[in-house]
Amino acid sequence: MDRGLFLLPSRIALDVTRRQAIGFISHAHMDHAAHHAMALCTEPTARLVRYRLGDVSTKIMPLGEAIEIAGLKLTAHSAGHILGSAMVYAEHDKGTVLYTGDFRLGPSATAEEAQLRSADYLIMECTFGHPNYRLPPRDTVIEMLLEKVHEAFRRGATPVISAYVLGKSQEVTKILTSNGIPVLQHPDIYAISQIYQEAGCDLGDCRPYQGRPVPGCVVIVPPKPITPGGLPGAVHVEKFHVTGWAFDPRRRRNAPQDHWIPLSDHADFDQLIRAVEEVEAKTVFCTHGPKSFVEELKSRGHDARWLE
């Protein structure tokens, strides 16, 4: 049996990570992409997928423009997750489906704001589907980040931010440079940032890290290079983790001396509830999160089910 999500009867795969004849790729994180015979995605996602997987054959889905394929009408809508991320809205004579992929409501520094749409059936990711994951307002989190970065500078330290290579690193870069703070990026991050630039997403004053810190600059690295020894070439480092998991006490206990900034590119608990209410689906299918979220939705009067 071929596991994964598929639109039937067309067999269009939804973020399936094995090669398929036709596969919709919501965004270019590798747990959502594969080298499909034909990949359906937005133009920025196509650029990023080709960088990460090679010469993938793509059919571009401009946001808001319906395409006909395999007997279905499909429309991509922005998901607010990372550059190029999209939901897909499918129309069939038996009803309509909205598949969110990873999404976030509200503004983003580097992604178009998510656009929800009413549908008969909603398939949604629910990573933060527990009430513990109610994140502070975005402006508050950004103020927290900027304040702690400036405090580190005043102490003569180099702020070193741990963030995912694709998505979070570029958003944090844009937030910092928009507030007058230049950024040095790990080479793997910088390579992807150049694709952002080519796609028209200006990240401001960012350069590759070349082995030593520069006064007044923040350094952004993937999670693994932040080691107990700090950053090669830097004497005094203060470490930052920018993630929605900043509220998880188990993760904070692993590095209690570091700065934890709760900026997420996933919808938090309240945004997940809001999405369900706005889509007004007859049935909600949940995936990639706590199964308790299904019971939460049922308690609110929704027909909710868990997708294994």
Side-chain angles (χ1 to χ4, degrees):
M1 180 177 178
D2 196 3
R3 295 181 61 82
L5 290 175
F6 296 84
L7 289 172
L8 300 178
S10 64
R11 290 282 303 174
I12 295 175
L14 300 176
D15 283 344
V16 173
T17 56
R18 303 173 309 284
R19 181 178 173 87
Q20 304 292 326
I22 306 174
F24 172 74
I25 300 178
S26 65
H27 65 285
H29 284 148
M30 288 298 93
D31 57 340
H32 290 258
H35 203 297
H36 301 306
M38 178 189 292
L40 309 176
C41 59
T42 65
E43 174 62 35
T45 294
R47 294 182 186 221
L48 291 163
V49 166
R50 290 190 192 109
Y51 172 77
R52 306 192 97 179
L53 291 178
D55 188 17
V56 179
S57 177
T58 58
K59 182 173 180 61
I60 300 303
M61 300 182 69
L63 294 175
E65 296 184 18
I67 65 169
E68 299 273 355
I69 188 163
L72 292 177
K73 181 188 286 187
L74 303 179
T75 308
H77 297 280
S78 55
H81 180 55
I82 66 171
L83 178 70
S85 62
M87 308 179 186
V88 66
Y89 181 80
E91 298 175 73
H92 187 268
D93 56 12
K94 293 185 178 180
T96 57
V97 177
L98 180 66
Y99 168 73
T100 67
D102 291 346
F103 75 102
R104 169 182 53 186
L105 304 183
S108 166
T110 52
E112 293 198 41
E113 191 163 341
Q115 298 293 322
L116 296 170
R117 183 171 178 178
S118 295
D120 296 318
Y121 302 96
L122 172 63
I123 304 173
M124 67 183 301
E125 72 87 17
C126 54
T127 299
F128 291 134
H130 190 283
N132 287 348
Y133 291 101
R134 286 184 164 104
L135 303 183
R138 179 180 173 83
D139 289 346
T140 301
V141 176
I142 291 174
E143 287 177 12
M144 180 191 308
L145 171 64
L146 297 174
E147 180 181 346
K148 291 187 178 296
V149 164
H150 284 299
E151 288 174 355
F153 284 148
R154 287 194 290 271
R155 288 189 286 266
T158 298
V160 178
I161 295 177
S162 166
Y164 296 127
V165 171
L166 168 58
K168 187 64 65 62
S169 287
Q170 288 73 31
E171 181 170 22
V172 173
T173 294
K174 181 64 173 179
I175 290 169
L176 293 172
T177 61
S178 295
N179 286 277
I181 302 172
V183 170
L184 305 177
Q185 296 180 335
H186 183 280
D188 291 347
I189 295 171
Y190 187 74
I192 289 178
S193 293
Q194 297 314 291
I195 300 173
Y196 270 60
Q197 297 279 154
E198 293 164 4
C201 183
D202 183 10
L203 298 179
D205 185 4
C206 65
R207 291 161 276 161
Y209 184 74
Q210 296 182 326
R212 66 174 55 188
V214 175
C217 290
V218 169
V219 180
I220 301 183
V221 300
K224 288 185 179 179
I226 297 193
T227 64
L231 183 74
V235 175
H236 184 190
V237 163
E238 291 192 20
K239 302 173 188 176
F240 290 69
H241 305 271
V242 181
T243 172
W245 299 111
F247 275 3
D248 188 335
R250 294 169 298 180
R251 302 199 182 206
R252 296 176 72 103
R253 279 197 296 270
N254 291 333
Q257 74 283 0
D258 295 353
H259 303 291
W260 290 84
I261 309 297
L263 181 70
S264 179
D265 49 19
H266 289 265
D268 73 352
F269 179 82
D270 289 329
Q271 289 185 3
L272 292 172
I273 296 295
R274 176 182 150 197
V276 170
E277 292 173 347
E278 289 191 16
V279 174
E280 299 179 315
K282 294 186 295 187
T283 304
V284 180
F285 297 95
C286 300
T287 184
H288 294 105
K291 293 184 179 180
S292 60
F293 188 63
V294 169
E295 299 308 314
E296 176 71 36
L297 292 180
K298 287 180 178 179
S299 73
R300 294 169 180 257
H302 301 285
D303 178 14
R305 307 177 192 184
W306 181 257
L307 280 179
E308 296 292 345

